[in-house]
Amino acid sequence: VQLVESGGGLVEAGDSLRLSCTASGRTFNRVMGWFRQAPGKEREFVVAFKNTADTTYSYYADFVQGRFTISADNAKNTVYLQMNSLKPEDTAVYYCAAGGIYRSSDTYYPDYWGQGTQVTVSS
């Protein structure tokens, strides 16, 4: 599975961005997620997501605090991350992830990674 992210950029604090991740394979019934890595820091979990015929599941990191929303367009094999009320501390490279092992909450070990898209939030 190849993942291609887009939508990053430079914005001001309080602005919004929508990241996209298009997969070469299906997004339906597959765990998808986003991670981020700020300069000098380890990569951290942002959100995990899975939608099936019966349910849609998502789990967000605590720092999201209701500001981010993940969604999917299965017909386009694309997952979106809508980020609102952005803060300077959200500045990072954001990576799309797919497949792998998802146990619960923020315990997610993806099989596939995108190349990352830079998000920079100025104060």
Side-chain angles (χ1 to χ4, degrees), residues 32 35-36 104 110 117:
M32 305 287 296
F35 288 71
R36 70 184 189 183
S104 64
T117 185

Side-chain angles (χ1 to χ4, degrees), residues 18-59:
R18 189 178 77 159
L19 306 183
S20 300
C21 171
T22 299
S24 60
R26 61 175 172 82
T27 55
F28 181 74
N29 203 27
R30 183 196 297 272
V31 177
M32 305 287 296
W34 290 90
F35 288 71
R36 70 184 189 183
Q37 187 167 18
K41 296 187 177 181
E42 294 186 352
R43 189 174 299 188
E44 64 178 349
F45 171 88
V46 177
V47 60
F49 170 85
K50 183 176 182 180
N51 65 327
T52 69
D54 299 321
T55 188
T56 296
Y57 172 86
S58 60
Y59 185 90

Side-chain angles (χ1 to χ4, degrees), residues 5-100:
E5 301 104 329
S6 62
L10 172 63
V11 297
E12 296 183 349
D15 285 350
S16 299
L17 277 176
R18 189 178 77 159
L19 306 183
S20 300
C21 171
T22 299
S24 60
R26 61 175 172 82
T27 55
F28 181 74
N29 203 27
R30 183 196 297 272
V31 177
M32 305 287 296
W34 290 90
F35 288 71
R36 70 184 189 183
Q37 187 167 18
K41 296 187 177 181
E42 294 186 352
R43 189 174 299 188
E44 64 178 349
F45 171 88
V46 177
V47 60
F49 170 85
K50 183 176 182 180
N51 65 327
T52 69
D54 299 321
T55 188
T56 296
Y57 172 86
S58 60
Y59 185 90
Y60 296 89
D62 288 343
F63 63 76
V64 169
Q65 297 177 330
R67 300 179 297 128
F68 298 176
T69 303
I70 190 168
S71 61
D73 183 336
N74 294 318
K76 297 181 178 179
N77 290 331
T78 299
V79 172
Y80 304 98
L81 184 65
Q82 177 68 42
M83 304 188 296
N84 299 327
S85 302
L86 284 163
K87 306 175 182 179
E89 51 264 43
D90 293 319
T91 295
V93 178
Y94 283 72
Y95 296 91
C96 181

